[in-house]
Amino acid sequence: MVVLGLPVASGVHPAHAHAHGGVAWHSYKQLLDAWRGSHVSGLAELKRYLARFWYMAKPRHDTTDAFDEHLELAVRRYQTRLSLPVTGWLDNATLDQIMSPRCGVRDDEEERRPVSVTLSPGQGGVVSRFTFFKGEPRWTLYDPPIMLSYVVSPTATVDYLLPAVVRAFVRWAWAIPVGFVETDNYEAADIKMGFYAGNHGDGVLLGILSHAFSLKNGRLHLDASEHWAVDFDVDATAAAIDLESVATHEISHVLGLGHSALPHAVMYQSIKPREKKVDIIF
Ligand SMILES: [Zn+2]
Ligand SMILES: [Zn+2]
């Protein structure tokens, strides 16, 4: 976690002012209102951030702090994908999103297709639209229920966090014909959950909130350096992130779901500190 050295723009909670994108942002204030033609220290990092999450081609090694037409296009694409006003410049709403804690899974659109899913009768049989990775989802209402095993790695895991993880699995088990059973066999588990920090061996640098792979891989990783909350009533920390919300989101990735453009959806790519987003139906 990198704390900015300069005061943040008014209206932005200081809790957002750290590097959830895995890069050390120079300053929120510095980047605010940058637009095509601007040359501001920190724009090179912004390009790397936008490239990492699909919005522009990977910049060359000697990338500059110039706000060029490629960056403008990427900013427009980002604003469109996140349902923000599409301005093409770094307005307050856009920077607020960029500074917000987000999921490490890319926001690719080409590989996702919108699918309507009928949830089980316990959920009212409501048809809900999700986006899925290619070839997903893996369950249907007509096949026998699938049973998936999960394990939470004891490394860096604090016991008081576990109830929130269990609640997230229970939410999904209510909604779809998939059951989840806890196991202590890490190698054999379908879903391998754990808290890690920094470079932890799968090619993804944590510094973002969390990330997950598809069911074939099954890994679901949460950033050990975040302040995770299981109950906001007893945890007053301003920067606390709701673990149940993020676990529900990442389990969805393991089940094959992609990101949603709806800000209040559990599958939106970011979550604010002290925000709770757990409803699977939207
Ligand atoms: Zn995600
Ligand atoms: Zn990982």
Side-chain angles (χ1 to χ4, degrees):
M1 195 178 285
V2 179
V3 178
L4 299 175
L6 294 169
V8 295
S10 60
V12 177
H13 198 282
H16 299 175
H18 50 241
H20 283 286
V23 285
W25 300 105
H26 287 226
S27 161
Y28 184 104
K29 204 169 190 175
Q30 211 165 312
L31 295 176
L32 186 61
D33 294 342
W35 65 316
R36 192 164 167 182
S38 300
H39 200 283
V40 186
S41 175
L43 287 178
E45 277 99 324
L46 178 69
K47 289 175 190 173
R48 281 189 277 272
Y49 174 91
L50 290 170
R52 173 179 179 177
F53 292 110
W54 167 81
Y55 296 97
M56 65 190 296
K58 207 173 175 203
R60 295 196 315 274
H61 184 64
D62 59 347
T63 187
T64 69
D65 285 322
F67 200 127
D68 57 17
E69 70 270 25
H70 303 294
L71 181 55
E72 182 182 330
L73 189 67
V75 168
R76 286 180 182 279
R77 200 178 266 168
Y78 179 84
Q79 291 167 331
T80 304
R81 185 74 174 89
L82 273 68
S83 307
L84 299 167
V86 181
T87 61
W89 49 283
L90 296 178
D91 52 38
N92 203 68
T94 304
L95 271 183
D96 185 39
Q97 263 308 318
I98 289 170
M99 298 288 165
S100 292
R102 70 154 289 153
C103 170
V105 175
R106 284 158 55 97
D107 301 332
D108 308 39
E109 272 171 353
E110 300 90 352
E111 295 174 10
R112 307 285 155 81
R113 61 196 172 91
V115 173
S116 293
V117 176
T118 309
L119 299 171
S120 49
Q123 294 283 308
V126 177
V127 173
S128 200
R129 271 172 70 86
F130 296 108
T131 62
F132 284 89
F133 296 110
K134 254 180 197 154
E136 311 278 356
R138 285 159 187 267
W139 76 87
T140 73
L141 276 186
Y142 313 104
D143 293 333
I146 308 169
M147 190 59 77
L148 298 175
S149 59
Y150 71 91
V151 64
V152 183
S153 163
T155 316
T157 302
V158 183
D159 285 348
Y160 80 90
L161 294 173
L162 295 178
V165 170
V166 172
R167 287 203 300 270
F169 280 111
V170 168
R171 262 174 203 288
W172 267 111
W174 278 341
I176 58 172
V178 176
F180 300 94
V181 59
E182 193 177 359
T183 172
D184 51 14
N185 184 341
Y186 190 86
E187 289 310 313
D190 295 309
I191 302 173
K192 301 168 173 68
M193 201 167 194
F195 292 82
Y196 301 94
N199 195 339
H200 56 289
D202 60 15
V204 182
L205 198 64
L206 272 172
I208 41 161
L209 277 183
S210 52
H211 69 105
F213 299 91
S214 69
L215 197 51
K216 258 177 258 159
N217 177 304
R219 279 180 290 183
L220 191 169
H221 295 161
L222 298 146
D223 188 356
S225 61
E226 286 294 337
H227 183 100
W228 296 105
V230 292
D231 184 353
F232 286 141
D233 289 340
V234 295
D235 187 340
T237 313
I241 303 287
D242 185 52
L243 178 58
E244 185 180 353
S245 300
V246 175
T248 304
H249 177 110
E250 296 301 333
I251 291 167
S252 313
H253 282 317
V254 176
L255 292 171
L257 274 68
H259 285 151
S260 165
L262 303 170
H264 302 297
V266 72
M267 290 317 287
Y268 199 59
Q269 44 78 42
S270 69
I271 188 165
K272 305 282 186 201
R274 303 201 68 76
E275 185 181 14
K276 200 167 171 76
K277 282 194 282 199
V278 290
D279 287 333
I280 288 166
I281 299 169
F282 53 83

